[in-house]
Amino acid sequence: MKSEAFYQTILDLFPGLVSVVSRDYRVLYANRKLRERCGRDPVGDLCYRVFHDREDPCPWCKKDEVLREGKSVLQEIHSPKDRRWFEVRSLPFPLEDERAYLSIILDITEKKLLEEKIEKERAFLHKILEENPVLVLFNREGKISFINRTFEEITGFSREEALGKSVFELLAPEEALSDWKKHCEKVQCGIFERGVELPVRDRRGRLHYLLWNCMRVEDPEGIPVIIGMAVDITEQKRLQEEHFQIQKMESLGRFTGVLLHELNNLFMALQGYISVSLLKLDRPENIRENLERMEELIHRWRRMSQELLFFVRKRTSQAEILDLARALHRLRETLERLLGSKIRLHLEAPEGNLLVRLSPVALQQILLNLASNAREAMEGEGEIWIRLEKVELPEESARVLDLKPGPYALLTFRDRGPGLSPEALSHLFEPYFTTKKEGTGLGLATIYSLVKQHGGHIAAYNHPEGGAVFRLYLPLADSPRAEGPSEGLSLLVVEENQILLETLKDLLEYLGYRPRLARGFAEAERILEEGFVPQILLTDIRMRSGPKEEEIRKLASRFPEMKVIIASPYPRETIEKSLPELRGRLIPLAKPFSLEDLRQAVERAGGAP
């Protein structure tokens, strides 16, 4: 048998506190650690008084429960005596003459302080995650594993609704689905792109424009996860568009006035050429020159009318392969009209073959903003230089500009104004920053957004000889693959205007085709009933009798392999919006068109895979 001193030594060496308390709260035993905490031997004293400096039993005491039910009880308590936390395990302890209870007590203050610190950090991080911009986590297949409160507020989808759903099915609009998937594929490969604009559609079907920063990380189990952080720029885009519309309206009066004057001049010239040609009917060889001049006048009016259509449109059309050099030359007249007679425009650009992926409207919007700012800076009088050239960006230079190395079109825009202040240079492209008394601060922010959306870069500085300089880099695009003419194509031309119908017939026959002609869709139906199967339909979405989208849809559904050429004065975006289900089968042909334009459209329709 071990002696009492042996067991006492074990209890005294125990790092925790050990006590035995009677039914009437008297301390019957305390080990060394407990005696040291009390500062004396507490045996005989009331436990609540000597342990916790209380005058009445502790409200957390489990004595009655332990003695009544004869079971062990574990709890955590905070002692008012020294403000420390303890884990107390109490259990019945039988004595010869009475029942007492034994308590084994561990000081867990450090553990509680650590838990409190962790909880504060967790609450802090939770607040950051929930109240900051949009945050969403999803896996390789697009399944959502986390969304924050901002995400819920913008989209209208609750966390319960979103978790486990595909980000592509839940959020991505159909028209932007391919862009979503392409970007996510890049992120999965470890490619980080800053500020990618991808729209989302909320529960009510409304479109929100978000600017995303997405990256791939690994979760604690080593599984790849995409973290998507975004800010909602819908309101900013709306204000930018309103600002652009205001700018357009301010210039539209001047533009249309000049346009009408030019139109009168064109008609006067046409009338003159026709009159002279009628006098030379006996000498046909002398008429050719007049006819060529008349065709050039028509082309000039075509360019001016298309510029006006682009100018009054509300939205920027989708990016397309654009010859930037030729587009600049075409816009020169427009810019000169808008700048006024007291501002001289110098344009230095190759004749053509500088292809970029950019919409004509975006280019016009960029140049309009720059020209408008320059005109105001020079108070309506001075000089502007626009220079376009091809440059090759090596890897080091491209990294500085946050671009990919390779060939770029460099557009340099310089004015003779007072230049930009240091403050303006440091905040130039920030939304709402302006140096004008009544400015919105959205003009240059719009340019910055457009250039970035098209994979480019824009920078500004002051020229040593005075004035501001803007340099725009746009990546060069590959030339579209030319399609050769196709033999034996079956063309159906539907047009209610008899003169135009006969003109199309003459043009197509000159190109070597034998089209079937229908003066309206009712006549076209009779041709089809004869067994004619068209490979190409050439028509317009508007005729004298009204809109024709429904008739075009029916024919396209009836002949799913048929391509559709829409010869119309309406812009490409309007045509595609009118017939969205025919995307990929539509070939827009802008009226008025030349023989070469018609040839290219038919060859594209006939040679497309």
Side-chain angles (χ1 to χ4, degrees):
M1 291 290 292
K2 301 292 184 181
S3 66
E4 181 179 338
F6 174 79
Y7 295 109
Q8 182 62 51
T9 301
I10 294 175
L11 291 172
D12 286 342
L13 291 174
F14 181 63
L17 314 177
V18 180
S19 69
V20 177
V21 177
S22 66
R23 189 184 295 271
D24 59 356
Y25 302 105
R26 296 288 175 178
V27 178
L28 303 178
Y29 172 78
N31 72 339
R32 180 184 298 170
K33 287 289 184 182
L34 184 54
R35 294 196 299 271
E36 290 174 355
R37 179 174 182 272
C38 295
R40 59 187 176 83
D41 189 350
V43 172
D45 289 333
L46 294 171
C47 61
Y48 50 81
R49 184 176 296 165
V50 70
F51 291 165
H52 303 298
D53 287 345
R54 292 180 59 86
E55 293 301 321
D56 53 356
C58 303
W60 60 80
C61 182
K62 300 293 183 180
K63 172 182 69 71
D64 292 339
E65 182 181 342
V66 170
L67 296 180
R68 182 179 62 252
E69 300 181 13
K71 67 177 184 180
S72 172
V73 175
L74 180 67
Q75 64 176 326
E76 292 180 355
I77 65 168
H78 186 247
S79 174
K81 180 176 182 177
D82 49 11
R83 307 294 179 185
R84 298 190 71 80
W85 281 91
F86 297 94
E87 181 184 89
V88 180
R89 180 176 293 279
S90 300
L91 60 159
F93 188 77
L95 295 175
E96 293 181 358
D97 53 347
E98 65 174 315
R99 294 190 69 188
Y101 70 97
L102 169 70
S103 294
I104 301 170
I105 308 164
L106 298 176
D107 190 330
I108 58 169
T109 304
E110 299 303 322
K111 173 190 169 188
K112 295 294 287 186
L113 290 175
L114 181 59
E115 288 177 351
E116 184 179 343
K117 181 181 178 181
I118 292 173
E119 177 56 29
K120 287 181 179 179
E121 290 177 351
R122 190 202 66 79
F124 174 70
L125 293 175
H126 179 76
K127 189 172 183 180
I128 292 176
L129 294 177
E130 293 292 348
E131 298 183 10
N132 268 271
V134 170
L135 180 66
V136 58
L137 274 66
F138 53 94
N139 63 13
R140 186 182 297 272
E141 289 74 36
K143 299 296 182 183
I144 298 173
S145 57
F146 174 82
I147 62 170
N148 68 347
R149 186 182 301 137
T150 310
F151 178 99
E152 293 179 297
E153 292 171 355
I154 290 176
T155 65
F157 294 109
S158 68
R159 190 162 298 175
E160 292 72 20
E161 291 174 306
L163 295 184
K165 299 285 178 47
S166 167
V167 69
F168 305 120
E169 297 175 3
L170 189 69
L171 298 177
E174 184 178 353
E175 61 272 19
L177 184 58
S178 61
D179 293 334
W180 265 88
K181 291 186 175 180
K182 286 177 184 177
H183 180 59
C184 289
E185 287 173 4
K186 289 182 180 179
V187 176
Q188 289 286 5
C189 295
I191 299 172
F192 175 73
E193 291 183 301
R194 185 183 294 109
V196 177
E197 185 179 319
L198 292 172
V200 299
R201 196 172 295 282
D202 65 17
R203 171 188 283 281
R204 296 169 62 182
R206 297 173 303 183
L207 211 59
H208 298 262
Y209 295 93
L210 273 63
L211 210 58
W212 292 87
N213 288 337
C214 297
M215 65 187 75
R216 187 192 70 179
V217 298
E218 291 186 354
D219 68 9
E221 297 179 1
I223 299 173
V225 175
I226 293 180
I227 298 179
M229 295 166 284
V231 290
D232 190 346
I233 59 169
T234 306
E235 181 65 12
Q236 180 182 330
K237 285 183 72 70
R238 184 186 66 79
L239 291 173
Q240 286 178 345
E241 190 159 309
E242 286 182 1
H243 170 73
F244 181 49
Q245 294 300 317
I246 291 170
Q247 278 190 319
K248 289 199 295 187
M249 291 303 104
E250 290 173 350
S251 304
L252 193 56
R254 297 175 59 201
F255 186 78
T256 51
V258 173
L259 195 66
L260 289 172
H261 180 74
E262 289 289 330
L263 182 58
N264 283 329
N265 289 341
L266 288 173
F267 281 146
M268 184 65 240
L270 282 172
Q271 181 64 55
Y273 287 138
I274 291 171
S275 299
V276 172
S277 297
L278 289 173
L279 296 174
K280 296 181 179 180
L281 288 177
D282 57 334
R283 289 171 290 168
E285 67 279 1
N286 294 332
I287 298 178
R288 180 181 180 86
E289 183 179 353
N290 286 347
L291 292 175
E292 289 175 348
R293 289 175 179 174
M294 291 166 65
E295 185 177 34
E296 176 56 34
L297 288 174
I298 293 171
H299 285 322
R300 185 178 177 190
W301 169 246
R302 174 193 177 190
R303 289 195 300 268
M304 294 171 66
S305 62
Q306 285 180 340
E307 287 169 8
L308 181 60
L309 282 171
F310 281 136
F311 195 75
V312 298
R313 288 165 67 187
K314 288 187 176 181
R315 292 190 176 273
T316 301
S317 61
Q318 295 180 346
E320 58 186 67
I321 301 298
L322 177 72
D323 192 324
L324 190 55
R326 291 184 180 177
L328 274 179
H329 286 293
R330 286 197 300 268
L331 285 171
R332 178 171 187 158
E333 281 188 60
T334 305
L335 289 172
E336 287 176 335
R337 296 187 201 106
L338 294 175
L339 289 170
S341 59
K342 293 185 179 180
I343 295 180
R344 187 178 178 187
L345 176 63
H346 305 273
L347 177 61
E348 183 182 340
E351 290 303 315
N353 202 29
L354 266 183
L355 304 182
V356 296
R357 187 170 292 279
L358 182 72
S359 76
V361 182
L363 174 62
Q364 191 176 60
Q365 190 170 354
I366 290 169
L367 292 175
L368 173 65
N369 271 293
L370 292 175
S372 176
N373 289 343
R375 185 183 63 204
E376 291 186 30
M378 297 187 296
E379 297 181 350
E381 186 172 354
E383 292 180 281
I384 289 176
W385 290 265
I386 299 177
R387 182 181 181 185
L388 180 65
E389 57 188 313
K390 178 182 178 181
V391 296
E392 189 77 26
L393 283 183
E395 187 169 348
E396 185 175 346
S397 301
R399 191 183 306 114
V400 172
L401 299 177
D402 195 22
L403 295 173
K404 297 177 182 178
Y408 284 80
L410 172 59
L411 176 67
T412 305
F413 186 101
R414 178 193 167 198
D415 63 44
R416 276 286 194 183
L420 300 162
S421 67
E423 181 189 10
L425 282 172
S426 60
H427 300 284
L428 199 58
F429 300 114
E430 295 177 9
Y432 313 116
F433 174 80
T434 181
T435 58
K436 306 173 188 175
K437 291 182 180 179
E438 299 180 357
T440 62
L442 292 172
L444 290 174
T446 300
I447 295 176
Y448 181 86
S449 175
L450 286 170
V451 172
K452 286 295 183 182
Q453 286 173 26
H454 292 86
H457 174 81
I458 181 170
Y461 61 92
N462 288 320
H463 196 274
E465 298 178 6
V469 181
F470 291 85
R471 290 166 67 89
L472 288 75
Y473 293 86
L474 291 168
L476 292 183
D478 295 330
S479 301
R481 183 170 59 91
E483 302 289 349
S486 300
E487 300 294 335
L489 283 175
S490 55
L491 280 84
L492 175 61
V493 181
V494 182
E495 174 57 59
E496 293 178 357
N497 186 304
Q498 184 64 34
I499 296 175
L500 181 54
L501 189 65
E502 292 174 359
T503 303
L504 288 170
K505 173 180 177 293
D506 292 341
L507 293 172
L508 289 169
E509 287 182 349
Y510 179 81
L511 292 173
Y513 300 103
R514 294 184 178 179
R516 294 294 299 271
L517 308 178
R519 192 172 179 181
F521 280 91
E523 188 173 330
E525 184 61 34
R526 289 193 290 273
I527 293 174
L528 297 176
E529 288 175 356
E530 297 172 3
F532 180 73
V533 178
Q535 294 172 281
I536 299 173
L537 170 65
L538 173 56
T539 188
D540 197 347
I541 56 173
R542 300 287 188 278
M543 295 186 191
R544 289 177 178 176
S545 60
K548 297 301 171 187
E549 289 93 334
E550 189 59 35
E551 289 86 346
I552 295 171
R553 288 191 191 95
K554 288 179 180 177
L555 278 185
S557 175
R558 186 171 172 182
F559 302 100
E561 301 299 321
M562 180 183 70
K563 298 297 174 66
V564 181
I565 300 175
I566 301 294
S568 174
Y570 292 99
R572 172 191 294 268
E573 187 183 47
T574 301
I575 295 170
E576 292 179 346
K577 190 175 181 180
S578 299
L579 298 165
E581 57 277 280
L582 300 186
R583 190 180 296 273
R585 297 169 61 186
L586 281 177
I587 296 94
L589 179 59
K591 287 181 180 176
F593 50 82
S594 65
L595 181 66
E596 178 62 19
D597 294 333
L598 179 61
R599 183 190 66 79
Q600 291 181 6
V602 175
E603 287 185 358
R604 182 181 167 194

